[in-house]
Amino acid sequence: MYNRSLQDPDAFWSEIASEFYWETRWPEENGKVHFENFDVRKGPVKVEWFKGGKTNICYNALDRHVHAGKGDQIAFYWEGNSPGLDASLTYNQLLQQVCQLANFLKDKGVKKGDAVAIYLPMLMELPIAMLACARIGAVHSVIFAGFSAESLAQRVLDCKPKVIITCNAVCRGPKIINLKDIVDEALSISLAHGVSVDSCLTYANEVAMSREKTAWQDGRDIWYQDVISDYATTCDIEWVDAEDPLFLLYTSGSTGKPKGVLHTTGGYMVYTATTFKYAFDYREGDIYWCTADCGWITGHSYVTYGPLLNCAKVVLFEGVPNYPDAGRCWEIVDKYHVSIFYTAPTAIRSLMRAGLEPVKRHSRKSLRVLGSVGEPINPSAWKWYYEVVGDKRCPISDTWWQTETGGFMITPLPGAWPLKPGSATYPFFGVQPALVDENGKEIEGVCNGYLCIKGSWPSTFRTLYGDHARYETTYFAPFKGYYFSGDGCHRDADGYYWLTGRVDDVINVSGHRIGTAEVESALVSHPQCAEAAVVAVDHEVTGQAIYAFVTLKLGVQYSEELRTGLKNAVRHEIGAFAQPAKIHWAPALPKTRSGKIMRRILRKIASKELENLGDISTLADPHVVQELIDLTDV
Ligand code: ATP
Ligand code: MG
């Protein structure tokens, strides 16, 4: 299938696309279903798939299954922050609720092409809101409900929505977060910049906060539960062009200011559904759980669209993996008989830190396939995931992809080929990775290089919202003719791909170029190390030196002996040249709100440039930074 997808991408994808419902089929000229220009020298970068075809992703994710007689099947199992609080929706019920909200939006004047901002935690109303927008051709912009008023305001100013959908408050772990106050502040900031939002539809999440305690602005604010039930449970579909925009979403902000990525409808639909099906070996009857929040691309493609397009049963989780304790994930796996479980290395490392007992306490026998996304997974975390969580029974799909790519790019197909811990293995159908050198020349065989992609895939992002010039300069200008991912990568003798980290983070010690992933994995292989992040600092002799931040397993004390042990682990795994010059103890690492290590902040701490830490709007917990500064000389 892979060979065919490259030899004749148009026929390959057109066959798969035909399994979906199209109100009007795309026109085919000489069998061509896509157009692309990836080469800035040949004019503006442009990508189109199935253009001229008319469809609707909400119809394909819901109505299509209902018409096929599957309306009584579960779509969502919702598990609340506290154990014991749960709910579920069948495909029929989900469709009805989506229609009601879609009718509300229409009533408020939202039309095809208009933007709607969604600032909701992981309640069922979040995917409902996304689908309601898609149904009427509105463009959703989901903003992770952990962002500050300032970040929310920035994103509201960017897309100028008529309506914002939110809720009053949410419980996250032991904390209660008052979202409505944040929204109020964000909307007044936007107003001060000339953007006024007409309606603020607010879900009353009374588990977290009563209506009486919620700040209110009459005329603008509307309680969700007060109005929604008055709307009809059916709503006509707005058929949209395959190339009409579906959503706008910001990257995680690990390397700088977040970028507003725009995805369109047809190619995104076909690609997310297909990648979901193959990379998780999805089969009818599977219960699927992805721990990502819908505020990130993973929650768009692999909580909402990909699984629902396959008529899967999806677990939606409001809480966090270690609340009330480190066994929560496995408790949920047993409760719903989850067969496919998809999470991030950061969660795996933090659960690993808590030891075996919380895992072993639960059976996990329903698990069949495991997945990982977000960062390179250290081989020792991979082994723990495989051996302890999956009882050596479940293949791990380590999926490499990005907000920009919309769907999986390099990923195992479970069972199809042998896995290597820490490698994302091979490209998905239609994806042509290229490793290039600093001159933009493609290198073959075993090598290290800048990871680029040749040619488009159906869910290629079409632009950065309102800034096509930045789209071209960031992704297509560095290496002419290619999409540049920003990541470094190694290809081994078997053709397996190994992500080595961001190229901006590469460390050059005496002429050796060292990826962050390799050194971090060597540190994490030390039995007392829970997590590590390395950055470069200037060095008189070697040019740069490696500076490592290390988080220890729970209960382990700092000591000089342990410092030496950690350095030796790197010396042993990689070589003396990669040995960190300094080990900086880290009770925790600065991470984005999606759980990725922010090395750019660590670089500033390591080189003691504390005045300007850069854009920290996506930093999850700012206290971590001060803690690290305080530990500089410990
Ligand atoms: P920003 O672009 O704003 O700096 P970000 O790159 O973290 O943020 P995302 O689109 O959420 O935003 O993340 C994509 C990046 O995550 C990839 O470029 C890669 O560095 C990393 N990544 C994701 N999955 C994997 C994986 N399986 N293995 C290695 N790295 C991964
Ligand atoms: Mg990125």
Side-chain angles (χ1 to χ4, degrees), residues 595-612:
K596 295 165 195 242
I597 299 169
M598 292 170 94
R599 290 182 194 74
R600 61 186 168 90
I601 291 180
L602 294 174
R603 255 195 307 269
K604 301 262 182 181
I605 297 174
S607 56
K608 303 200 170 71
E609 294 166 44
L610 305 172
E611 313 75 54
N612 179 14

Side-chain angles (χ1 to χ4, degrees), residues 251-252 255 259 402 404 475 485 502:
T251 58
S252 294
T255 56
K259 302 171 277 273
Q402 308 176 291
E404 295 88 340
Y475 303 101
S485 68
R502 322 274 180 158

Side-chain angles (χ1 to χ4, degrees), residues 251-267:
T251 58
S252 294
S254 310
T255 56
K257 188 168 179 282
K259 302 171 277 273
V261 162
L262 185 92
H263 281 286
T264 56
T265 305

Side-chain angles (χ1 to χ4, degrees), residues 553-572:
K553 292 243 170 89
L554 290 176
V556 180
Q557 302 295 322
Y558 305 145
S559 73
E560 284 314 305
E561 204 183 328
L562 190 50
R563 269 204 171 103
T564 313
L566 288 161
K567 289 182 183 177
N568 284 341
V570 180
R571 189 184 264 271
H572 173 77

Side-chain angles (χ1 to χ4, degrees), residues 201-218:
L201 183 65
T202 310
Y203 184 86
N205 189 19
E206 302 208 52
V207 177
M209 185 187 280
S210 68
R211 292 188 186 210
E212 296 71 47
K213 291 205 172 125
T214 308
W216 207 247
Q217 190 173 313
D218 284 326

